[in-house]
Amino acid sequence: MIALPTLRQLQFLLALTEHGSFSRAAEAVHVTQPTLSAAIKELETILGTTLVERGARGAVLTPAGVAVVDRARRVMAEAEDLVVAAQAAGEPLSGSFKLGVIPTIAPFLLPRVLPRLRERYADLELFLREDLTGRLYEALRERRLDAALIALPYDAPMIESVSLGSDEFLFACSPEHKLASKEPLEAEDLRGESLLLLEDGHCLRDHALSACSAGEARSDFAATSLHTLVQMVKSGMGATLLPKMAVDAGLVDQMGLVVHAFDPPVAGREIGIAWRKGSARSEEARQIGEEIRKLLKSG
């Protein structure tokens, strides 16, 4: 029979790749440096090629090492999926679940969602990561996340998603703005209006421009968060579009801003949950999504 690497050896190789040195990698996987070094040597013997160049600057992967690491990640991910699938079959929504959330959803939805999930699934241990949509999708593909709360539409290969509810856009400005007293407000009223928006990389920016095509992004300003955005609006720098979810959660409370809904409402984005195609935790992601759907529907 052909000699096969062990999962432990592959785990050591991935740790070495991540940390760049034998000492830090050994510490990360809780073994001694000689133990880790010997395991890598044995792996190289099994595969018949040098995977790591050892030098004063640390450990550097050879071209063969790069190719092996890519496959090792997939092997380890499949092994982890095997364990997760077995556990989920015995007791769904128990143990650890890694959930990503985009910044324009996290502070406004999670305070409502987490108590509900803790109440319904006492054995579920949620690990949360807040990040931009693109990086969350990458983490899903690499199996570093089980699911992610995102804004739709967003096209991503190898990812499945389901919509949980809509989140309309509201217009926000200072009392001195020319549209502050305009009621009812229509999307067409924004024609030629220069809007303060989030910086590139936030899908909310694209959704805002798509939903209100009459307006345009101000070229000399881009905020990193919705909280920064409303501070700039408060200072009289201009107007913006805000998701209703954030306004309902108190984002503009005590800010002295004028907030108008559009007539008819401008459907800004869909709140959705996404997971990797073929994930062993897809049904659990759907269940979590269903709890969030009920919460959104109840207002």
Side-chain angles (χ1 to χ4, degrees), residues 16 40 46 59 62 102 144-145 152 195 208 252 265 272 299:
L16 186 59
I40 297 297
I46 291 172
T62 65
I102 59 174
R144 291 182 283 115
L145 287 177
L152 302 172
L195 299 172
V252 299

Side-chain angles (χ1 to χ4, degrees), residues 162-167 245 269-272 292-293 296-297:
V162 62
S163 175
L164 306 177
S166 60
D167 188 22
M245 172 189 294
R269 60 180 185 170
E270 292 288 319
I271 305 302
I292 297 171
R293 187 201 306 277
L296 291 173
K297 189 175 180 180

Side-chain angles (χ1 to χ4, degrees), residues 123-284:
D123 295 327
L124 180 66
E125 186 179 9
L126 275 177
F127 291 89
L128 301 172
R129 172 182 170 184
E130 182 180 295
D131 210 336
L132 298 181
T133 306
R135 290 199 284 264
L136 291 182
Y137 274 110
E138 190 63 28
L140 287 175
R141 281 191 289 266
E142 294 179 356
R143 295 173 167 89
R144 291 182 283 115
L145 287 177
D146 297 310
L149 289 174
I150 41 84
L152 302 172
Y154 191 94
D155 184 31
M158 299 176 60
I159 300 296
E160 294 181 332
S161 63
V162 62
S163 175
L164 306 177
S166 60
D167 188 22
E168 68 182 87
F169 279 135
L170 306 178
F171 178 78
C173 64
S174 67
E176 296 76 30
H177 194 276
K178 63 184 180 181
L179 293 177
S181 59
K182 176 73 168 65
E183 290 190 270
L185 185 68
E186 300 176 1
E188 185 63 25
D189 293 324
L190 298 188
R191 182 160 299 282
E193 185 70 28
S194 184
L195 299 172
L196 303 175
L197 297 175
L198 295 177
E199 65 182 358
D200 286 335
H202 288 270
C203 58
L204 185 64
R205 175 189 179 90
D206 298 328
H207 291 151
L209 290 173
S210 175
C212 253
S213 56
E216 58 186 28
R218 184 165 159 177
S219 60
D220 63 342
F221 177 85
T224 58
S225 72
L226 287 177
H227 291 88
T228 301
L229 201 57
V230 296
Q231 288 290 342
M232 297 302 99
V233 173
K234 179 183 178 181
S235 70
M237 286 186 63
T240 192
L241 297 179
L242 297 174
K244 188 175 184 294
M245 172 189 294
V247 174
D248 289 346
L251 176 66
V252 299
D253 288 357
Q254 313 303 318
M255 297 291 289
L257 299 183
V258 175
V259 179
H260 288 314
F262 289 95
D263 185 24
V266 172
R269 60 180 185 170
E270 292 288 319
I271 305 302
I273 189 165
W275 59 88
R276 181 181 52 82
K277 238 177 227 185
S279 169
R281 310 207 74 169
S282 59
E283 284 307 310
E284 292 175 285

Side-chain angles (χ1 to χ4, degrees), residues 77-111:
E78 290 294 340
E80 290 171 5
D81 271 0
L82 182 151
V83 174
V84 167
Q87 292 173 341
E91 189 176 356
L93 284 171
S94 62
S96 65
F97 191 96
K98 299 181 286 295
L99 180 68
V101 195
I102 59 174
T104 56
I105 290 179
F108 314 114
L109 185 59
L110 289 184

